[in-house]
Amino acid sequence: MRVKRLLKKKTAEDIANLPELDDERQEMGQRMNELLIVCVFQVQPTMLPLIIFLLTTTTLKHGLNPSSCDAFAGLGMILCGRLGKLEKGCEMAKAAELIVEQPGMRRITSKTIFVAQSFCYHWTEPLQDTVTPLLEGCQKGLEIGDTDSACSCLVVRSYCLYFTGRPLESIQEELEATIEVMTQLRQDARKMRIVILLATVKKLRGIDTEAGDEKMDSLLATAAATGNFSLAAFVNSMKLEVFVIFQQWEEAIELVQKSGNVRLALTSAFNTVRYTFLQTLTYFKAAQTASGKKRKQMKKCGKTTLKVIQGWAKNGNVNVVHYLRILEAELDWLEGNVKKAEESFKAAISSSRRNGFRNDTALAHELSSSFYKAKGDDYWTNYHLECSKSCYQEWECSEKVKFLDESQS
């Protein structure tokens, strides 16, 4: 409430025109809180808003300094991800970008790009649009010696490439090169995020699958031993990704129920959106095979998380439209609305393809195939299965293609 009162109706331009901070004591406090953000983000994400609010109120009361960019980009992250106020959140991210253009702010340039692109703009703009700015953020970070932010930009960019359905072979090549760079820069914490994604990509391509599984289990053990909730969330979200792609619904629901509040640990990144979609789909699939009280419980859990995605779509998130169509189709099928489910599956395939998500187009076709198989319609079952296989081939997900071939033989 205090932050809201101090902000009043200030625009991004109003904030960027605040006077410069000239109190050395306040500036030292701001710098200390700025450094705290990184630690808190990893091990105690519930405390993150408190530090960001403190940074913001100090800026509004005493003036601008480089830490103010963290304040308003961070505030944008909270408004977008936790409070669902997408327009206001992106306005705060814009304020941070305007502040960083001023003299004396160069050291915070890469970090500001990282936070704005990773946690704010994907809520209202196509996910593909974050890829180029994040690469620029990495380059600027390397230029000024901010290797932490440079590598953070690379991590998020890599996941965005994956989530938007870029061909897996090219992603693998980029990930392997990124790991080499991070090793040279001694960026072990950020490298672990890349290792998680690389293990996932290689598993989908049928490469070193056992070694990849062992690595993921090892990282989970490390996360548990060190209390690193963020690392655990990254591992669990990508393990769920694999379970869903290979239609391993029993393993998927077990993971969802055991992994806790993954969305909280992933904060406002797109990983949060993706996990919520996979989580909801898993609940609906669990409900389809359950009966009685458990069926009702799984359906209720799915509808609860579905409402979250519906809220994002209502607020203008263009990246969840095809997710919503897929989930609506599954819910319609679960509730026996066959005609409506058929229409929703068609809409899911159309919106996934139109928005360029070849990975999700493949998934939508495969789920449609399962729907028609349950109806006993062989023609559309085989049609959607072949379409799914074709999309997985385009995505270069060779292990999944092999899996589908074996299921047909």
Side-chain angles (χ1 to χ4, degrees), residues 236 239-244 246-259 275 282 286:
N236 284 323
K239 283 172 72 75
L240 182 60
E241 186 84 23
V242 172
F243 288 149
V244 169
F246 286 102
Q247 309 281 289
Q248 296 172 297
W249 300 115
E250 289 183 11
E251 292 86 346
I253 193 61
E254 183 181 358
L255 185 148
V256 165
Q257 292 177 324
K258 285 184 176 180
S259 55
Y275 180 83
T282 298

Side-chain angles (χ1 to χ4, degrees), residues 210-317:
E210 289 186 10
D213 290 341
E214 290 175 4
K215 190 64 181 176
M216 296 287 260
D217 291 340
S218 173
L219 288 171
L220 267 182
T222 299
T226 58
N228 193 330
F229 300 111
S230 176
L231 178 60
F234 267 83
V235 175
N236 284 323
S237 65
M238 297 314 291
K239 283 172 72 75
L240 182 60
E241 186 84 23
V242 172
F243 288 149
V244 169
I245 289 173
F246 286 102
Q247 309 281 289
Q248 296 172 297
W249 300 115
E250 289 183 11
E251 292 86 346
I253 193 61
E254 183 181 358
L255 185 148
V256 165
Q257 292 177 324
K258 285 184 176 180
S259 55
N261 194 345
V262 171
R263 292 211 309 272
L264 177 63
L266 293 172
T267 60
S268 183
F270 187 79
N271 304 58
T272 305
V273 177
R274 180 70 178 180
Y275 180 83
T276 306
F277 161 64
L278 298 177
Q279 180 187 33
T280 308
L281 180 59
T282 298
Y283 280 134
F284 286 155
K285 283 298 183 183
Q288 286 175 9
T289 56
S291 58
K293 186 177 179 180
K294 186 174 180 181
R295 180 183 175 91
K296 289 181 180 178
Q297 181 188 14
M298 292 295 99
K299 180 181 172 182
K300 182 180 179 181
C301 289
K303 290 180 79 172
T304 299
T305 49
L306 176 62
K307 285 181 180 178
V308 175
I309 298 175
Q310 288 172 331
W312 292 336
K314 185 178 179 181
N315 286 332
N317 190 327

Side-chain angles (χ1 to χ4, degrees), residues 127-368:
L127 185 62
Q128 292 90 336
D129 290 355
T130 65
V131 172
T132 299
L134 283 166
L135 183 58
E136 293 171 355
C138 172
Q139 292 167 342
K140 289 182 178 180
L142 293 175
E143 287 171 7
I144 61 178
D146 184 3
T147 54
D148 288 355
S149 298
C151 291
S152 292
C153 286
L154 275 184
V155 170
V156 178
R157 181 178 184 274
S158 298
Y159 277 87
C160 287
L161 290 173
Y162 173 83
F163 291 136
T164 53
R166 297 288 180 92
L168 292 179
E169 184 177 359
S170 64
I171 293 177
Q172 181 179 333
E173 291 172 357
E174 185 163 328
L175 292 174
E176 289 169 343
T178 300
I179 285 174
E180 289 184 18
V181 171
M182 290 189 177
T183 300
Q184 293 173 4
L185 296 174
R186 299 181 180 179
Q187 289 285 331
D188 294 340
R190 291 164 183 83
K191 186 173 74 173
M192 281 193 284
R193 269 68 174 171
I194 296 295
V195 168
I196 292 165
L197 182 54
L198 179 60
T200 303
V201 169
K202 291 175 77 172
K203 189 175 182 70
L204 295 177
R205 300 189 67 222
I207 301 170
D208 297 335
T209 55
E210 289 186 10
D213 290 341
E214 290 175 4
K215 190 64 181 176
M216 296 287 260
D217 291 340
S218 173
L219 288 171
L220 267 182
T222 299
T226 58
N228 193 330
F229 300 111
S230 176
L231 178 60
F234 267 83
V235 175
N236 284 323
S237 65
M238 297 314 291
K239 283 172 72 75
L240 182 60
E241 186 84 23
V242 172
F243 288 149
V244 169
I245 289 173
F246 286 102
Q247 309 281 289
Q248 296 172 297
W249 300 115
E250 289 183 11
E251 292 86 346
I253 193 61
E254 183 181 358
L255 185 148
V256 165
Q257 292 177 324
K258 285 184 176 180
S259 55
N261 194 345
V262 171
R263 292 211 309 272
L264 177 63
L266 293 172
T267 60
S268 183
F270 187 79
N271 304 58
T272 305
V273 177
R274 180 70 178 180
Y275 180 83
T276 306
F277 161 64
L278 298 177
Q279 180 187 33
T280 308
L281 180 59
T282 298
Y283 280 134
F284 286 155
K285 283 298 183 183
Q288 286 175 9
T289 56
S291 58
K293 186 177 179 180
K294 186 174 180 181
R295 180 183 175 91
K296 289 181 180 178
Q297 181 188 14
M298 292 295 99
K299 180 181 172 182
K300 182 180 179 181
C301 289
K303 290 180 79 172
T304 299
T305 49
L306 176 62
K307 285 181 180 178
V308 175
I309 298 175
Q310 288 172 331
W312 292 336
K314 185 178 179 181
N315 286 332
N317 190 327
V318 297
N319 299 303
V320 302
V321 174
H322 65 292
Y323 290 169
L324 192 56
R325 298 291 173 261
I326 290 171
L327 295 172
E328 287 172 343
E330 288 293 329
L331 181 58
D332 290 334
W333 180 13
L334 181 61
E335 294 182 335
N337 299 323
V338 176
K339 184 68 176 175
K340 196 174 177 183
E342 201 166 352
E343 294 172 357
S344 295
F345 275 121
K346 288 178 182 177
I349 293 166
S350 177
S351 58
S352 298
R353 185 188 297 115
R354 184 171 59 251
N355 292 325
F357 294 89
R358 59 166 63 85
N359 50 338
D360 296 326
T361 305
L363 177 62
H365 273 297
E366 187 176 10
L367 294 172
S368 297

